[in-house]
Amino acid sequence: NDPVAGINGTFTVDSSLSTAQIVALMSNTVAGQSQVTINTNGMSAAQQQAVYSTGILVVKSQQTVKVGDTVTISVDVSGLPTTAVGLQASLNYDPSKLAFVQAIGGDDMPSMLYSTNTGSAVRFATGIAIGGSGSLPIFAGNLAKIEFTALVPLCGVTDCVSLTTSGFTNRIASSGAVSQPVPFVGTNLVNVTALNALQLANVTSDIDVAADAGVTTGAFQANPVVTASNSCGSVPVVLTITLPGGGTTNSWPAMFPVGTSIVTWRAEDAAQNVAIATKTYIVRDYQLATLDVTFSGVNSGNNAGFSQDVRVRVSDGRFVNRTLAFSRFGVGTVSDVQVPVGTGYTCISVKDAAHTLAAVNTLPVVGTKYVPSAFVLGGGDANDDNIRDILDYGAFVFDYGGGKTAASRSNYNRDTVVGTQDFTFISSGFLEVGAECGGGYADGNQARERVSVRDLRRAGLGELAIADLNGDGWVDTKDVTLWMQGRRPAGYPTDEVIDAAARAEN
C-alpha cells in the first residue's frame, strides 16, 4: 500500500492485489510508457472499479466462444478529466486468432464516424448522437464495439487485442469540440486467452476393495472432489455413478455397495470441449480379518518354513478355509483373511483341521478390518473334533514313523517324522477340549478315554486298532501308559531310529 509514482514499463494487475493496491498502481501509470496487463478473473466489483477509476482507455469482452462464434470487443473510457463527445482510437488484434467483421458505435457514443481495417488493427472514430439518445457529453462509458469471428476457442478478454498508439493518435473530442490525446496507458485485459485442453483433476484410480468390517452396507470411499478447468478457469463437473443394481445417482454415496459401480466425471466448457473420466469401483463380497497365528511347540527342522490350511469360523457359524505361511518355528505371517460379510460378530476361531485345537478371540473393528488378538494353536487333534482324546492317540500310533511332511496328520511339530515329540502334544493335554465359536467341531461330543476295537471298525477306523498294545480289545489309557513305557506294535521302528531321523533334520 506504499505510494507508487511514475511506473515505467510492464506490470500485471490481477485479483491477488487489494483494491487500494490496484488504485495505487493504476493512478501512477505513465501514458505512453506503462504497459498494463489486467486479468479481471476473480476480481470483486470494487477491484474492477479500481481498474477503471483512472483516465485510461480499456478494451473489454466477457465472452467464451468456440471457433466460428462472434467475439465483441467493447472499448470503454473512464475517469476522464473532462467530458467527451467523440473518440478516435486504434485497436490491434491477432489475426491468427480473430477475423475482423465490423466496427459499430458504442452505448454512449453510438455514431460510427469511420473505421479502417489494416489486417491487424482496426482504426475508428465514434461520437455522441447530437440531439438524440445518449447525446450528453460523458466522463466515462462505452465508446465502440468491434466485432470479430473467433478462429480458435477463446474465453473472456484476450491478449490477442490491445490498444496502440503506433502511427495513430488515440484522441477524445471534449464537449468544447477540442481534441486532446486520451490519457492512454497501453492495456491488455487477459480474461480471454486461447483455450487449452479441458483438464480433469483429482481423478482416482480404479478401486478394488473388501467390504468394510462391522457393517453390511459396503465400503466407504472418500470423495476425491474431481475438478475441471481450462485457461478460462474452472468448469462445472457432473458426477454420475451407476450402482451394482443398475440404478444411478449424481451424489457421492456414503458407502459403495457390494458389487461393481461405474463412476463417471464429465465436464463441458463453453466452447463445447468435453472431458470425461470413468473408473470402476469394486467392493468385494467379503470382509478382511487380520490374523496373527502361531503354532505352539513347532520346529520343522531345516525346512525354511511351510504353508498350512486353517479354518476360520465366525460366530454365526460361517467359515472359510485359508492357506497361511509359517516360519520354521510355527510363527505365521500376519495375513488378511477373507471372511463372510456380516455384522455383530461376537467371536472368531482359527483351527488347523489336521493338527490343532481351535483358539477363539473377539473380533474388534480397527479401521476397515477386523483385527483380533493373536492366536496360539496347540497341536494334538488329529481327527478335527476339537478334542485331544484316545482317538488322537490311536491316529498317532498308526501314523508313527518317518517320511512325513509338515501337513502330515499327527506330525504336530511339523518335522519329517511322527515320533516322540509329537506324542507329547497328546499326553500333555490329554482330554482337553478346544474353544468354540459358531459350533462346527465337537458339537457336544465328550472327550473319550477309551474306545473298543469293535467300535473303531464299525466307524471305519479299524486301522487305529493297532494302538491296542495289550490286545484286550480296547484302545485306552492302559495302552497309552504302555506306549510311554516303550512298548511298540510288532514291526515298528524303535524310538531311537525315529528320534535319530528327527535330530538329523534339526
Side-chain angles (χ1 to χ4, degrees):
N1 295 324
D2 293 337
V4 179
I7 300 176
N8 298 328
T10 300
F11 63 95
T12 298
V13 173
D14 58 28
S15 61
S16 67
L17 299 175
S18 69
T19 300
Q21 289 171 328
I22 294 174
V23 169
L25 288 170
M26 298 305 296
S27 62
N28 284 279
T29 56
V30 178
Q33 299 181 37
S34 300
Q35 181 69 31
V36 186
T37 295
I38 303 172
N39 184 353
T40 61
N41 278 336
M43 278 191 180
S44 67
Q47 288 173 310
Q48 294 186 47
Q49 182 60 41
V51 169
Y52 305 136
S53 63
T54 56
I56 61 172
L57 195 63
V58 296
V59 289
K60 293 194 301 182
S61 169
Q62 299 304 321
Q63 293 173 280
T64 300
V65 296
K66 58 183 180 297
V67 174
D69 281 356
T70 298
V71 179
T72 300
I73 304 298
S74 295
V75 180
D76 295 355
V77 68
S78 63
L80 296 178
T82 184
T83 56
V85 295
L87 166 72
Q88 172 182 292
S90 180
L91 179 72
N92 280 359
Y93 67 93
D94 184 342
S96 69
K97 298 177 182 178
L98 298 172
F100 174 71
V101 177
Q102 64 176 341
I104 61 177
D107 296 334
D108 299 292
M109 287 189 178
S111 297
M112 178 58 65
L113 303 178
Y114 72 87
S115 67
T116 301
N117 175 32
T118 70
S120 60
V122 179
R123 296 171 178 174
F124 61 92
T126 60
I128 63 173
I130 303 298
S133 175
S135 62
L136 296 178
I138 62 171
F139 283 98
N142 172 234
L143 309 189
K145 296 177 181 177
I146 316 299
E147 292 183 358
F148 298 90
T149 298
L151 303 179
V152 296
L154 302 170
C155 54
V157 176
T158 183
D159 54 4
C160 60
V161 294
S162 61
L163 292 167
T164 178
T165 59
S166 176
F168 194 88
T169 302
N170 293 280
R171 303 178 67 84
I172 58 170
S174 70
S175 56
V178 177
S179 294
Q180 57 183 307
V182 175
F184 168 71
V185 176
T187 305
N188 296 331
L189 296 189
V190 296
N191 290 351
V192 178
T193 54
L195 283 169
N196 61 5
L198 183 60
Q199 301 287 332
L200 293 172
N202 301 327
V203 175
T204 64
S205 301
D206 291 333
I207 301 296
D208 191 337
V209 296
D212 288 353
V215 297
T216 58
T217 49
F220 170 80
Q221 291 294 311
N223 186 346
V225 189
V226 171
T227 59
S229 63
N230 54 26
S231 56
C232 299
S234 62
V235 176
V237 177
V238 176
L239 169 71
T240 303
I241 301 176
T242 302
L243 300 170
T248 61
T249 179
N250 299 114
S251 300
W252 195 262
M255 300 284 282
F256 276 84
V258 171
T260 299
S261 298
I262 305 300
V263 182
T264 300
W265 297 271
R266 185 184 188 277
E268 181 175 354
D269 64 21
Q272 299 179 329
N273 298 308
V274 176
I276 297 176
T278 298
K279 297 299 177 181
T280 301
Y281 277 37
I282 300 174
V283 179
R284 299 294 179 177
D285 191 17
Y286 55 76
Q287 296 165 327
L288 294 179
T290 302
L291 300 186
D292 182 355
V293 181
T294 297
F295 291 135
S296 177
V298 167
N299 182 352
S300 63
N302 292 332
N303 298 327
F306 59 92
S307 295
Q308 185 67 54
D309 290 342
V310 298
R311 183 182 300 120
V312 181
R313 186 184 301 274
V314 288
S315 54
D316 67 3
R318 290 184 291 174
F319 67 90
V320 292
N321 293 310
R322 292 291 180 261
T323 301
L324 303 181
F326 294 87
S327 73
R328 168 185 175 181
F329 297 102
V331 178
T333 301
V334 177
S335 303
D336 286 336
V337 173
Q338 299 170 10
V339 298
V341 172
T343 184
Y345 291 140
T346 58
C347 63
I348 183 172
S349 68
V350 178
K351 187 182 190 303
D352 168 6
H355 301 94
T356 73
L357 301 180
V360 172
N361 278 313
T362 58
L363 206 58
V365 175
V366 179
T368 61
K369 301 176 183 179
Y370 297 112
V371 185
S373 300
F375 294 87
V376 179
L377 305 185
D381 178 21
N383 62 350
D384 198 25
D385 64 0
N386 209 27
I387 302 171
R388 293 192 193 103
D389 63 6
I390 202 66
L391 295 178
D392 302 303
Y393 161 73
F396 163 76
V397 175
F398 180 81
D399 296 337
Y400 189 77
K404 309 301 181 181
T405 70
S408 295
R409 187 182 71 170
S410 301
N411 187 17
Y412 302 123
N413 71 342
R414 271 63 169 200
D415 59 9
T416 58
V417 301
V418 172
T420 302
Q421 291 183 357
D422 301 301
F423 178 72
T424 60
F425 283 86
I426 300 172
S427 61
S428 62
F430 194 59
L431 303 183
E432 183 178 347
V433 178
E436 289 281 351
C437 175
Y441 300 123
D443 293 328
N445 292 340
Q446 299 298 310
R448 291 192 284 186
E449 295 186 66
R450 63 200 309 256
V451 61
S452 70
V453 171
R454 178 180 299 178
D455 286 343
L456 286 174
R457 288 170 178 163
R458 287 174 177 171
L461 300 173
E463 72 276 7
L464 303 189
I466 196 171
D468 179 15
L469 299 181
N470 62 4
D472 64 358
W474 291 85
V475 178
D476 55 19
T477 55
K478 294 178 183 179
D479 301 299
V480 175
T481 300
L482 290 173
W483 181 277
M484 296 174 67
Q485 292 172 350
R487 183 179 295 189
R488 300 292 181 265
Y492 263 44
T494 65
D495 290 351
E496 287 77 15
V497 171
I498 296 300
D499 293 343
R503 287 193 298 271
E505 180 67 16
N506 286 290

